[in-house]
């Protein structure tokens, strides 16, 4: 009998092409997603060396980071010169090397981590990589998915493999059920709050437990998306009936006999009884509250009922970091989180730009108006999410409430396009990073769930969604 | 890629924890399609004020550290995005080695692809080297990759661990795409095996 394996062990073993004496492996990559920011130098490297893309049919490219999300984006003048050059470089590279491509003009265009699952490129048991740290999102399907740097992008393009050493196994279990008003975003932020941003370093996390099983596929993607914020190489969730139902019928999902064969394999993707985990973290679903971040690291997270902490509450290098955070964020220790005034609300990103997220926000905003003077925008994760939201009437709810209804892209998640905060401007954001300057130089970011972001848009300050239910 | 064998140079102290890739190179500089030229924008928002003037207090703006080749940094250096622009910016500035108690995974890997050596040491050693770095331009730290040691200006040597394959590539400046392509047969074999086993991929 073979030793019990985790789901990570199983996927890993199925993708090893060759192992060296020291344990370094050549790992086969099933899907390679590409966007415009981290790929130009990699394609250039191929050209210089006279190399081809080994498996263009397994390579999928889409521009998302730079593209404007305003309705007039077909007009080239909406992009800065350097953004335009980067998007054009991707157009050209996709064409020259013959990879699958969704240009800006295609309704299927969107954030790479939303497009992959939506089009059925991401399937259980696969290895999925992208020159983007939030590739962890695809782990929601029981795939081994992680970000890579540009040199590795070039390596995958040329060889369809990566040189890797295996990470350790970490289990994050969320027992029981979530309370009303608590979402996948609150789970993933609470886990980072508990482990710290380095807590997962060197590990691949398997999220499990009843509260995870009870999440939709959208919610599971939100959870896995932020595995990287906890330092993990990847995060994944064993596939189940919900996964199979989500995948079935998608354009690039297998059909007929291939579907049956795939399904039989996918059902073997679970962690065996007694498999070894190097690290285990358990949270009770009932204990998780709606949370927000107060600082400039995703680990700076507290229940919305809390108060801004003081540097003295911390030890070591974190004391200086907290002081710096509070100065940057313009906050005072002891201040109630619900007293923090908000200027801008951003709903979108690969963390929370899917249809379920828009439904959650619309449910809070329906028939109401956002606070006077508030700037608020909803940026759907893909053109297809946008179309569905229009069909379901969500778009009209946003527009009636006074929010801007945008086209798909990364937008204010990292502010490489024109959507940026000004210095001191304070934003409630459904994205995943609250780093200094992330949403624009001097901009202040509070991370939270879509429902909490919608609530803040109505009241003008951070708000406990449970008070509105 | 340039080889990395030994290095003796000025080390800049950056005790802040969780220095993320957005701090190392803010996103407005990611719009380049080249790998070079990012050094002037390394740590841009910590280094320059709104008007583009240097902020005097920032360590790399101080005369002693303007040519630092080593950083001694707080825990979890390089967390955040996968942007290889972070090591490109460090390299373009002239930094060839970063020492910390821990690094974010992707950043750590990216360093090796660019001839930068990230060194993980226990807290005590990093604290001691941080103190050494604070002494300024006269305190030169020596890094020897072959011997796997870091030696402070007062001659105290610390051993560090490094993956054997990564060390080999760095010592010899090897391009690992070339190495992997030598295994093309193995990749062919794997692909044909999986075409039968997992035909849906
Ligand atoms: S939405 Fe934000 S986090 Fe996601 S891929 Fe785009 S920039 Fe990165």
């Amino acid at each position: 009998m073979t030793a019990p394996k985790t789901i990570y062990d199983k996927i890993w073993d199925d993708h090893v092409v060759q192992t060296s004496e020291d344990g370094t492996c050549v790992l086969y990559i099933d899907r390679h997603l590409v966007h415009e920011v981290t790929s130009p130098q990699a394609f250039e490297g191929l050209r210089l060396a006279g190399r081809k893309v080994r498996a263009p049919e397994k390579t999928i490219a889409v521009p998302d980071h730079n593209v404007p999300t305003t309705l007039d984006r077909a007009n080239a003048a909406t992009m800065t010169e350097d953004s335009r050059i980067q998007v054009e470089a991707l157009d050209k590279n996709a064409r020259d090397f013959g990879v699958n491509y969704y240009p800006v003009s295609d309704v299927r265009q969107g954030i790479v981590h939303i497009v992959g699952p939506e089009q059925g490129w991401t399937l259980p048991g696969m290895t999925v990589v992208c020159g983007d740290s939030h590739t962890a999102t695809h782990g929601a399907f029981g795939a081994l998915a992680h970000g890579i740097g540009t040199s590795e992008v070039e390596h995958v393009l040329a060889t369809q493999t990566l040189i890797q050493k295996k990470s350790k196994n970490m289990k994050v279990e969320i027992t029981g059920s979530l309370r009303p008003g608590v979402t996948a975003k609150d789970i993933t932020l609470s886990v980072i709050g508990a482990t710290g941003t380095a807590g997962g370093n060197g590990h691949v996390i398997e999220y499990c437990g009843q509260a995870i099983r009870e999440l939709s596929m959208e919610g599971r993607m939100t959870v896995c998306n932020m595995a990287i914020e906890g330092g993990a190489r990847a995060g994944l969730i064993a596939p189940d009936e919900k996964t199979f139902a989500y995948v079935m019928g998608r354009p690039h999902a297998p059909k007929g006999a291939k579907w049956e064969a795939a399904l039989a394999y996918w059902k073997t993707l679970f962690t065996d009884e007694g498999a070894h985990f190097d690290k285990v973290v358990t949270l009770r679903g009932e204990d998780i509250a709606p949370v927000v971040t107060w600082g400039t690291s995703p680990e700076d997270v507290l229940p919305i009922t809390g108060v801004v902490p003081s540097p003295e509450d911390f030890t070591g290098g974190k004391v200086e970091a907290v002081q710096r955070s509070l100065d940057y964020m313009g906050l005072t220790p002891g201040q109630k989180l619900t007293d923090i005034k908000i200027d801008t609300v951003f709903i979108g990103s690969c963390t929370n730009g899917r249809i379920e997220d828009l439904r959650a926000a619309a449910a809070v905003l329906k028939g109401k108006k956002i606070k006077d003077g508030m700037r608020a925008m909803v940026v759907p994760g893909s053109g297809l999410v946008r179309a569905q939201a229009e069909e379901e009437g969500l778009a009209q709810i946003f527009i009636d409430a006074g929010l801007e209804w945008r086209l798909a892209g990364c937008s204010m998640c990292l502010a490489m396009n024109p959507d940026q905060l000004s210095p001191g401007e304070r934003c409630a954001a459904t994205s995943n990073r609250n780093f200094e300057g992330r949403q624009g130089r001097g901009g202040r970011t509070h991370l939270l769930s879509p429902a909490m972001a919608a609530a803040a848009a109505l009241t003008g300050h951070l708000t406990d969604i449970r008070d509105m239910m | 890629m340039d080889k990395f064998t030994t290095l003796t140079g000025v080390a800049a102290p950056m005790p802040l924890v969780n220095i993320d890739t957005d701090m190392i190179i803010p996103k407005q500089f990611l719009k380049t399609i080249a790998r070079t030229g990012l050094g002037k924008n390394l740590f841009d928002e910590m280094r320059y004020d709104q008007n583009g003037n240097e902020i005097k207090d920032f360590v790399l703006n101080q005369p002693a550290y303007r040519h630092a080749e080593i950083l001694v940094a707080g825990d979890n250096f390089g967390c955040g995005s996968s942007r290889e622009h972070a090591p490109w910016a460090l390299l373009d500035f002239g930094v060839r080695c970063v020492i910390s108690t821990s690094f974010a995974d992707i950043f750590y890997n990216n360093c090796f692809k660019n001839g930068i050596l990230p060194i993980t040491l226990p807290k005590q050693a990093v604290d001691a080297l941080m103190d050494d770095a604070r002494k300024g331009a006269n305190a030169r730290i020596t890094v020897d990759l072959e011997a796997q040691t870091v030696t402070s200006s007062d001659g105290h040597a610390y051993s560090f661990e490094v993956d054997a394959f990564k060390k080999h590539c760095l010592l010899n400046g090897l391009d690992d795409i070339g190495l992997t392509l030598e295994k093309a047969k193995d990749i062919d074999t794997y692909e044909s095996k999986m075409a039968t086993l997992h035909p849906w991929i």
Side-chain angles (χ1 to χ4, degrees), chain A residues 58-265:
Chain A
K58 295 174 182 173
T59 311
I60 300 99
V62 58
D64 54 4
H65 284 62
N66 276 285
V67 296
T69 58
T70 44
L71 300 180
D72 59 350
R73 76 172 172 198
N75 175 356
T78 55
M79 256 197 257
T80 57
E81 172 80 2
D82 42 9
S83 288
R84 201 173 43 70
I85 290 173
Q86 226 172 31
V87 173
E88 280 173 8
L90 187 67
D91 285 344
K92 177 169 165 42
N93 289 329
R95 218 175 328 111
D96 289 359
F97 289 92
V99 308
N100 299 288
Y101 188 49
Y102 303 102
V104 180
S105 55
D106 192 311
V107 68
R108 297 166 297 179
Q109 177 271 343
I111 304 168
V112 64
H113 308 309
I114 294 194
V115 173
E118 198 167 71
Q119 293 300 319
W121 290 113
T122 309
L123 300 173
M126 281 183 162
T127 45
V128 181
V129 297
C130 174
D132 189 281
S133 54
H134 292 100
T135 311
T137 313
H138 307 263
F141 291 80
L144 175 59
H146 58 80
I148 53 178
T150 298
S151 296
E152 289 176 314
V153 169
E154 187 178 336
H155 191 280
V156 178
L157 288 172
T159 69
Q160 204 57 30
T161 66
L162 268 183
I163 313 242
Q164 293 267 293
K165 261 203 172 155
K166 203 173 166 204
S167 304
K168 292 188 197 142
N169 279 288
M170 174 168 171
K171 172 157 98 171
V172 172
E173 185 177 13
I174 316 292
T175 63
S177 294
L178 299 179
R179 294 196 186 278
V182 181
T183 68
K185 185 64 165 289
D186 302 298
I187 294 182
T188 204
L189 282 171
S190 299
V191 169
I192 299 159
T195 62
T197 48
N201 278 7
H203 292 78
V204 166
I205 296 177
E206 178 181 354
Y207 296 97
C208 61
Q210 187 185 331
I212 298 289
R213 293 260 79 86
E214 287 175 1
L215 292 176
S216 65
M217 286 314 294
E218 283 84 355
R220 293 179 191 182
M221 285 188 252
T222 302
V223 170
C224 290
N225 176 272
M226 293 193 71
I228 184 72
E229 263 63 56
R233 180 146 192 90
L236 46 69
I237 295 173
D240 61 10
E241 293 304 325
K242 275 185 201 171
T243 321
F244 310 144
Y246 181 99
V247 168
M248 197 163 92
R250 304 241 159 215
H252 297 280
K255 316 256 164 357
K258 282 188 183 168
W259 171 263
E260 293 306 327
L263 199 59
Y265 171 66

Side-chain angles (χ1 to χ4, degrees), chain A residues 14 18 28 41 54 83 86 132 149-151 154-155 163 165 233 299 414 416 433 437-438 441, chain B residues 18 22 27 30-32 34-35 48 76 80-82 84 103 105 110 163 177 180 183 188 190-191:
Chain A
D14 278 347
Q18 189 255 349
Y28 195 79
Q41 295 86 350
R54 181 180 169 104
S83 288
Q86 226 172 31
D132 189 281
T150 298
S151 296
E154 187 178 336
H155 191 280
I163 313 242
K165 261 203 172 155
R233 180 146 192 90
E299 70 190 15
L414 94 164
M416 266 185 89
R433 289 201 174 129
R438 172 77 178 182
R441 185 170 183 143
Chain B
N18 295 331
D22 284 68
K27 72 244 156 197
L30 308 188
K31 297 187 183 188
T32 171
R35 289 175 203 245
Y48 307 104
N76 199 29
S81 102
S82 65
E84 202 159 315
F103 292 90
D105 207 39
N110 283 343
D163 177 85
I177 297 181
T180 304
K183 298 173 184 162
D188 292 342
Y190 176 89
E191 277 183 342

